[in-house]
Amino acid sequence: MRAIEISEHGGPDVLTPVDLDTPTPGPGEILVRTTAIGVNYVDTYFREGIYPRDLPFIPGNEGAGLVEAVGEGTPDLVVGDRVAWCQVPGSYAQYVVAPVEELVAVPDGVPDHVAASMLLQGLTAHYLISDTHRATGGDTVLITAGAGGVGQLLIQMAVARGFRVIATTSTEAKAQLCRELGAHQVLLYPEATPERVRELSEGGVSVVFDGVGRDTFDTSLASLARRGSLVLFGAASGAVPPVDPQRLNAAGSVFLTRPKLSDFIATTEEYRERAAEVLDALVDGSLKLSVGATFALSDAAEAHRALHARRTTGSITLDPTR
Ligand code: NDP
């Protein structure tokens, strides 16, 4: 099978196409032939070595495909079933072996490329909006990188829960996407100052969902209302330097959290509940997932270059047939 291998940490060029033996599923495992593979910003952190993994490794955690073979003790799935996953290391490949509990059945009507990118970003948006703060409908929230993969889903979920949404992004074209998804106000970064955010939110926002990190952290903190929450969930611009807790006091007794998806799908039950809600919303049309670009699996490096260069909108996928 064709796969992408990383044998040393570094820039996108270390994503190397290789031919490997197709793996065999053991007990409790399923062999899946991938039909589409999700690309996420977190893949770049593993590639660079910011998050540790032993070398060499196949990157990626997310995808969709068809059950090709089943191991012992996997009664719920049969060959040919359509499945998706978001926590299976080694997903940049034509075949993936996954523990059966990691696989979610994909309903008819959800195309492969959507199925391959709905879980990691969809479940992230779901836990961020549901479980990381105490704001309620009518409150104003700020969402950074609103036109991105997580950002687009988060805007829609926030609007659906009755929040007023201010989104930030880098270009007018991306701003237009945010508006179409329901954002009430969109600011391009140069005008996204704390003063402007406070003006639009009558004194500060209840929550900032910040996936950009280093470049936006100070603005995010200064944009909060008293007792607001800064939900720092990513570092697309780099890691935030250490923070003196006294800054949270000075900002108005605000809360700072740095959550990660795996802690919010820590049990199979929670994983399936969140996945079912996201899938239902996609099927009934109340949530739209836009795949902004698809690259050949062999061109995974190009997908990472596009992410770093902020050229992408929505989700990105790899096509394992190319
Ligand atoms: P995106 O599609 O949002 O891509 C990243 C976006 O970040 C860019 O398009 C760009 O949008 C913005 N950005 C701002 N500054 C920079 C910069 N210096 N370099 C590159 N991009 C920049 O990616 P994802 O949706 O995959 O992920 C969004 C964030 O969420 C990431 O930080 C990721 O690590 C995090 N994440 C966290 C999870 C968690 O559980 N904690 C789970 C999943 C994702 P613009 O042009 O609008 O500025």
Side-chain angles (χ1 to χ4, degrees):
M1 67 164 185
R2 187 175 317 129
I4 297 296
E5 192 173 77
I6 293 180
S7 54
E8 58 177 325
H9 296 303
D13 289 347
V14 303
L15 295 165
T16 310
V18 290
D19 284 314
L20 299 173
D21 292 340
T22 301
T24 314
E29 293 180 335
I30 302 286
L31 176 67
V32 184
R33 178 167 63 79
T34 54
T35 50
I37 299 160
V39 177
N40 292 280
Y41 215 91
V42 68
D43 302 342
T44 71
Y45 307 149
F46 282 104
R47 193 201 70 226
E48 290 170 348
I50 295 169
Y51 289 171
R53 253 193 96 179
D54 290 340
L55 295 167
F57 68 94
I58 302 174
N61 292 290
E62 184 182 38
L66 297 170
V67 172
E68 181 87 2
V70 298
E72 278 172 42
T74 59
D76 296 338
L77 288 173
V78 297
V79 171
D81 281 352
R82 292 180 75 219
V83 290
W85 59 93
C86 66
Q87 289 196 117
V88 180
S91 292
Y92 283 17
Q94 289 180 314
Y95 290 89
V96 170
V97 164
V100 67
E101 63 273 12
E102 293 294 343
L103 299 177
V104 170
V106 177
D108 294 343
V110 177
D112 289 335
H113 64 300
V114 172
S117 51
M118 67 183 176
L119 285 178
L120 206 149
Q121 295 171 350
L123 301 186
T124 298
H126 188 275
Y127 88 73
L128 289 174
I129 201 68
S130 313
D131 295 308
T132 58
H133 59 86
R134 293 187 305 185
T136 52
D139 288 349
T140 303
V141 301
L142 175 67
I143 297 174
T144 64
V150 175
Q152 290 203 13
L153 300 172
L154 196 48
I155 288 176
Q156 295 175 74
M157 289 184 193
V159 170
R161 283 165 170 76
F163 293 106
R164 280 191 65 246
V165 174
I166 303 173
T168 56
T169 188
S170 59
T171 68
E172 182 45 42
K174 288 186 176 187
Q176 186 53 30
L177 279 174
C178 297
R179 283 185 209 105
E180 286 164 13
L181 293 167
H184 300 87
Q185 265 114 9
V186 186
L187 301 174
L188 301 187
Y189 290 117
E191 60 161 332
T193 59
E195 295 72 30
R196 183 74 182 121
V197 173
R198 300 184 85 83
E199 192 179 290
L200 291 174
S201 55
E202 291 167 12
V205 295
S206 300
V207 190
V208 180
F209 298 102
D210 187 346
V212 171
R214 188 176 57 205
D215 289 358
T216 47
F217 182 83
D218 290 343
T219 296
S220 296
L221 190 58
S223 298
L224 286 170
R226 183 176 283 135
R227 288 158 40 183
S229 297
L230 173 43
V231 181
L232 177 68
F233 69 95
S237 65
V240 175
V243 179
D244 177 353
Q246 191 58 28
R247 289 185 66 190
L248 309 181
N249 168 303
S253 304
V254 301
F255 297 84
L256 170 64
T257 182
R258 177 63 176 93
K260 64 178 188 296
L261 174 61
S262 56
D263 289 324
F264 290 83
I265 50 173
T267 64
T268 305
E269 190 186 11
E270 190 176 26
Y271 173 46
R272 295 196 180 284
E273 273 174 19
R274 283 193 205 281
E277 276 192 46
V278 170
L279 272 168
D280 287 350
L282 284 171
V283 170
D284 73 22
S286 56
L287 183 68
K288 307 252 184 298
L289 186 147
S290 132
V291 177
T294 298
F295 297 83
L297 173 61
S298 324
D299 279 343
E302 200 45 44
H304 280 216
R305 280 186 206 106
L307 263 180
H308 286 298
R310 302 162 77 162
R311 288 199 306 265
T312 67
T313 59
S315 306
I316 314 179
T317 59
L318 301 176
D319 174 356
T321 65
R322 296 191 282 134

